Amino acid sequence: MMQDIFHLILRAQADYARCIDDDRLENWPDYFDDPCTYKITTAANYRDGLEAGIVFANSRGMLIDRVSSLREANIYEHHTYRHILGAPSILEEIDGRIRSETPFLVVRIMRGGETDIFATGRYLDLYRVRERGPKLVERIVVCDSSRIDTLLALPL
């Protein structure tokens, strides 16, 4: 059973990253349950128990609004991401909920072709398993660096 859960989460992680990397941001909220929590924070803030996030949403509606504002209102230099994910660690499985941790590296590619390491860290996730697959109840994106680029527009 643990092997099945591992593959379920591995597939969910790969599909999530591909959605962002392929610029299908309108589909990004579909990976979340409702209500949900999505937060980007730093390792230091997470370690110290500081609740404030660099990005925070507590519903799918907020995620949908974030995508709409990226597409229609925000002004930022066009860029794309490429996620490189490590294997998820399944930390706990209780009553159809799965807690996992997955390391990530995100490379940012600018319109002119400049490429740099944008973020490294780990996803701390809580999934609820549904008939059509797992949905994120909570995703806390813990970035290793305390220096966050002001061009944090796209979801990690």
Side-chain angles (χ1 to χ4, degrees):
M1 183 66 167
M2 189 58 94
Q3 190 73 0
D4 292 339
I5 292 169
F6 174 81
H7 284 100
L8 195 67
I9 298 304
L10 184 67
R11 175 68 184 263
Q13 296 285 26
D15 290 347
Y16 174 98
R18 193 164 154 232
C19 174
I20 295 168
D21 293 352
D22 289 349
D23 195 33
R24 292 183 288 113
L25 298 182
E26 287 74 15
N27 300 116
W28 173 64
D30 296 339
Y31 291 90
F32 291 84
D33 211 347
D34 201 16
C36 63
T37 300
Y38 176 77
K39 179 167 66 170
I40 300 175
T41 190
T42 65
N45 284 354
Y46 183 78
R47 181 189 61 241
D48 294 342
L50 301 175
E51 290 296 318
I54 299 157
V55 173
F56 179 82
N58 62 4
S59 71
R60 283 188 73 239
M62 288 179 76
L63 300 176
I64 292 166
D65 286 348
R66 181 164 179 81
V67 171
S68 292
S69 67
L70 283 169
R71 295 294 196 207
E72 299 167 20
N74 293 0
I75 298 171
Y76 60 95
E77 187 175 355
H78 180 76
H79 61 282
T80 58
Y81 288 161
R82 178 64 60 209
H83 285 72
I84 308 298
L85 304 177
S89 293
I90 307 303
L91 306 177
E92 184 176 47
E93 188 225 341
I94 299 174
D95 297 329
R97 291 180 176 233
I98 300 164
R99 193 165 293 282
S100 67
E101 178 178 324
T102 305
F104 70 84
L105 177 141
V106 176
V107 176
R108 179 178 61 188
I109 305 96
M110 303 305 290
R111 177 175 285 178
E114 301 87 14
T115 301
D116 60 356
I117 294 175
F118 183 67
T120 63
R122 57 194 170 128
Y123 295 133
L124 301 177
D125 295 327
L126 178 62
Y127 282 94
R128 178 177 292 132
V129 179
R130 300 283 194 188
E131 261 185 43
R132 294 181 313 210
K135 296 284 185 180
L136 284 160
V137 174
E138 178 180 80
R139 168 156 280 183
I140 300 173
V141 181
V142 181
C143 295
D144 292 329
S145 177
S146 59
R147 291 185 56 201
I148 302 298
D149 193 307
T150 56
L151 193 55
L152 179 57
L154 304 179
L156 291 173

